[in-house]
Amino acid sequence: MNLSFKGKINMVPFNQVSVVIPAFNEEECIGPIIERIRAVSPEFEIVVCSDGSTDATAALAREAGAIVTEHRYNIGNGAAVKSGAIAASRPYLIFMDSDGQHQPEDIPKLLNEMPDYDMVIASRTRECRTDPVRDFGNIMLRKVAEIIGGKPIMDLTSGFRAVRRDLFFLFSPLYPLRYSYPSTITLALINTGHFVKFLPLDTIVRREQGTSNIRPFHDGLKFLRIIFRLFMLFRPFKIFFPISLTLFVLGAGLGIYQLFATQGIHSMAVILLLGSLFCFVNGLLAEQISQIRLSMLNQPTPSGSLSPGSTSTAGPATTAPGDSSEC
């Protein structure tokens, strides 16, 4: 154990922790990141999921001593996180990026809070050197999440977090294959009464090496999709009710106008009022379905096991052709 950090007496032991790192073409970063994790403590289990990388990411991760699982082709960050978690064997999981944004030296700070919480999230501060385009999108998502979750949320999309392994798999059917898994698991835990801690860290920075994939227009559309998806997953009535109310106001207003102007209510007002009723009823049904799904997922189940077609290798071992993990 790294003695440079003095934590709580009941701090999660390092030998109970798996560090899961999703990676896609990160050969420049993956080796140094693993070495820094080992420097914090050699007791960590390190799992790298190479998400269809076409470079030497998987080979370099094995050389550095990590357990490696591979996708035959690129599926997405969410799929890589799930495959890595399946390959991990310990009761606590640390998730972090492979591009140098997250500092391995901060891992003990997350674990220091874990005895008292179900998930601890490293949240970015104003001192962090992050990308302003994504920062704007993250702020918008955070505001939406606070409406959905009903509590202050400091950082919804941070990929640097610690979570109990059993809880991660409870809600894994909700996680998308590509982006927004952090926002999904955060809101899932909050909306089912679990304890989530946001730990401010000013050490989170922009990626240190490699190429950024930021595309303002594309990312803007992606954020809109994520916002809509989160509402439909957790609070669909908050989507349906404003639409229903708008249609009702328009229909009632038009109906009153028609009643006084033409001595009768015509088809357009009736259509608007019926549309309002349909939206309201569908919103109630969607809300009930959402809550039933969450309550069903929030039942303890055995932890996941390796799915058919996935393999993990540790250290210098090699993976046979065609025996890589595919989601």
Side-chain angles (χ1 to χ4, degrees), residues 251-287:
L254 181 59
I256 292 172
Y257 170 78
Q258 289 175 345
L259 186 61
F260 283 98
T262 66
Q263 304 301 313
I265 298 177
H266 304 292
S267 58
M268 182 55 68
V270 174
I271 290 173
L272 290 172
L273 290 172
L274 287 176
S276 172
L277 178 62
F278 290 153
C279 282
F280 185 81
V281 172
N282 284 331
L284 290 178
L285 291 175
E287 187 79 8

Side-chain angles (χ1 to χ4, degrees), residues 22 49 51 71 73-82 176-179 327:
C49 179
D51 186 28
H71 292 165
Y73 49 83
N74 181 259
I75 305 176
N77 179 263
V81 165
K82 284 195 282 188
L177 291 179
R178 292 198 172 273
Y179 297 102
C327 296

Side-chain angles (χ1 to χ4, degrees), residues 140-151 153 156 187:
M140 298 302 295
L141 277 179
R142 192 181 71 203
K143 296 301 181 183
V144 169
E146 289 176 351
I147 295 174
I148 297 173
K151 63 171 291 184
I153 293 177
L156 183 68
L187 289 175

Side-chain angles (χ1 to χ4, degrees), residues 141 179-180 183 222-231:
L141 277 179
Y179 297 102
S180 84
S183 53
K222 181 185 73 176
F223 278 123
L224 289 176
R225 291 197 302 270
I226 292 172
I227 288 172
F228 186 76
R229 180 178 182 274
L230 292 177
F231 267 116

